[in-house]
Structure formats: C-alpha cells, structure tokens
Amino acid sequence: VKDRSLRRAIDCGAHRGEWTLAWKDRVGQIECFEPNVEILPFFKENTEGIQNINLYQHALGDKPGTVAMDYETHLGTYHVTAEEGPYEIKTLDSYNFTDVDVIKIDVEGYEMEVLKGANNALDQCTYVMIELNNNSKKYGSNNRQITKYLIDKGFSVLIKTWPDVIFVNNYSI
C-alpha cells in the first residue's frame, strides 16, 4: 500500500535500512544517516531501487566537525570514540528539513548530542522514536536526561518498550 501519509521521516543510525524498508511506501521522503563505511554496502543493497530516500554518509551530533568512531563489540555498536577523527559530523538542523513527521534515533549512546543538534527539526516533528538503553552514559547523559529534554520541548511518552521509546509532540496533535 503506497499511501505516503507521512511527509518526511529521518533515520539517524539507518544501519542496514530496516526502518527505511518499513517506511518506503508510507513516507513521502526518507532521509537516512549512516556513517559506518562497513555497513553502508548492506544499506545500499537493501534499499536499491527505492526512489524516495536520500543517504547521508556521516555522523550526526550537536556541532559540526569530525569524530573518531569504532565498534564496541559488533557491527551494530559503531559509536563515537573521540571528538576529533576522520569522520565528518554535522547537525541535523544544518539540513533545514521541512515537513518532518518522524525522527528515529539509534546512535549507540549519542542520542542527546543528536537531539541538541536537531532543535528546529524537533519543533516541527510529530514523533521521535529513540533507543534508550543507557548507552548515553559514556557521553555524560542518561535516559532520564534525554526523556526530560524531550518533555521540556513539548513531547510526551507515547509508547515505551525496552529499549525503545516513542515520544509524541503535544503541540502537533
């Protein structure tokens, strides 16, 4: 069913394209962010031929610059390890996206930094799907602080199923 009832979804930590595949017929435009050069071939293979996606091959955070990244244990745990390195990092707001309905964030603990760089996108967004599994402790924040940050921006918890939480923007409903 190609209803495209959602205008734009942003997939921060697109990995192999699991959410992109789920959204492809339901969303007008999907913006996918994935910095892991080893996982990108899987993403590209899985999403080949999908016309309504844009792929950005860099990390997201609270300020532009460069970072170092590495694995904690396996391909799914690729994360920022230092504030300077060979990988480009940008803010989500630097793209000036409009018509944002959903932002999904699964960035191995860097969630607070991504949120801080996404203030404008959050203001117009209806739903934020975020992995909150306490990985953010390595960057100086925690699940409670991330939840409070979103609540202070006008969101409330809609669904909570470990480790994921879906927030809804109270101003958009």
Side-chain angles (χ1 to χ4, degrees), residues 10 26 60 95 104 117 123 140-141 144 146 151 164 170-171:
I10 300 173
R26 294 177 175 90
L60 291 170
Y95 287 91
K104 178 235 141 200
D123 287 345
S141 65
R144 186 177 307 239
I146 293 168
I151 288 171
D164 301 310
N170 297 314
Y171 300 116

Side-chain angles (χ1 to χ4, degrees), residues 66-83:
T66 63
V67 293
M69 299 185 79
D70 208 343
Y71 301 103
E72 195 165 309
T73 57
H74 64 297
L75 280 177
T77 61
Y78 203 62
H79 66 284
V80 173
T81 57
E83 294 229 355

Side-chain angles (χ1 to χ4, degrees), residues 155-169:
F155 287 82
S156 59
V157 174
L158 180 65
I159 299 169
K160 192 175 192 178
T161 177
W162 175 262
D164 301 310
V165 181
I166 299 175
F167 293 85
V168 61
N169 188 333

Side-chain angles (χ1 to χ4, degrees), residues 60-62 105 107 109-118 122 130-132 136 139-150:
L60 291 170
D62 58 341
I105 306 171
V107 291
Y110 220 60
E111 288 79 14
M112 181 64 92
E113 287 75 10
V114 170
L115 289 170
K116 287 180 179 178
L122 288 170
I130 190 165
E131 182 181 59
L132 293 179
S136 60
Y139 303 109
S141 65
N142 59 48
N143 292 357
R144 186 177 307 239
Q145 290 168 318
I146 293 168
T147 299
K148 183 180 182 329
Y149 185 85
L150 284 166

Side-chain angles (χ1 to χ4, degrees), residues 2-3 12 14 16 22-23 28 55-56 58 70 79 90 103-104 106 108 111 113 133 136 139-140 148 163 169:
K2 290 189 177 193
D3 68 3
C12 308
R16 295 178 182 197
W23 287 333
L55 174 61
Y56 307 89
H58 61 78
D70 208 343
H79 66 284
K90 295 183 177 183
I103 300 173
K104 178 235 141 200
D106 181 353
E108 302 309 310
E111 288 79 14
E113 287 75 10
N133 59 4
S136 60
Y139 303 109
K148 183 180 182 329
N169 188 333

Side-chain angles (χ1 to χ4, degrees), residues 16-34:
R16 295 178 182 197
E18 295 89 341
W19 278 102
T20 299
L21 293 171
W23 287 333
K24 69 181 173 70
D25 294 331
R26 294 177 175 90
V27 178
Q29 190 63 45
I30 307 167
E31 314 296 346
C32 306
F33 292 86
E34 179 55 57

